[in-house]
Amino acid sequence: MTFTPAASLSGVANIVVRVTDGGSHTFDQTLSVFVVNPPTLDDITDPASIPEDTLGTQSVPLSGISDGDSGAEGVEVSAVVLSDPSGIIQNLATIFVNPTDATGSVTYDLAADKSGTATIQVTVKDQGPNAGFSTGDEATITK
């Protein structure tokens, strides 16, 4: 059996599978399939090069943040350093005030006397159909 949900729709799809012996005996089994659209995050523009020993917090804007559905679920936004061989990233944080806002930012400080390239990964996670961030049915997008 193959199930293909309609594009851009979400919710619960109930599918009834019926087995019959060709006579008077039948058995029905209902399958409930949760259909969710993944959360969204616009592409992130790489920041321009920053001179070594630049003081102050750096900020990278985030936009297009949503739960992929009606916006009622809310989302979590997180960031991690994937690669930083020279140790230039310090105090990495995400700024995302309201769980239904479409914008936010990633902020960080630069370590003194360091230079190089670092890779930061941003993840947006929605609550899924069970309305919780730790229920195992969340959808994510990572950039």
Side-chain angles (χ1 to χ4, degrees):
M1 173 173 36
T2 302
F3 172 74
T4 304
S8 300
L9 294 179
S10 62
V12 177
N14 292 312
I15 302 167
V16 178
V17 177
R18 175 170 281 171
V19 178
T20 183
D21 66 359
S24 61
H25 298 94
T26 62
F27 175 76
D28 290 344
Q29 179 67 50
T30 301
L31 306 170
S32 294
V33 178
F34 292 104
V35 178
V36 296
N37 292 308
T40 63
L41 174 62
D42 288 348
D43 288 338
I44 302 168
T45 303
D46 289 338
S49 295
I50 303 167
E52 184 177 337
D53 296 330
T54 297
L55 298 177
T57 299
Q58 306 300 310
S59 181
V60 176
L62 304 174
S63 62
I65 300 168
S66 81
D67 65 7
D69 293 313
S70 65
E73 290 179 6
V75 296
E76 286 182 338
V77 179
S78 61
V80 296
V81 176
L82 290 182
S83 172
D84 186 11
S86 56
I88 58 175
I89 300 294
Q90 296 180 333
N91 305 319
L92 180 67
T94 55
I95 308 296
F96 186 66
V97 178
N98 182 340
T100 58
D101 282 348
T103 62
S105 62
V106 173
T107 61
Y108 57 92
D109 296 322
L110 299 174
D113 300 319
K114 302 278 184 175
S115 64
T117 301
T119 303
I120 298 171
Q121 175 178 289
V122 177
T123 301
V124 177
K125 178 168 61 169
D126 73 9
Q127 294 188 44
N130 288 324
F133 288 112
S134 299
T135 57
D137 61 354
E138 306 86 12
T140 62
I141 186 168
T142 301
K143 297 198 178 198

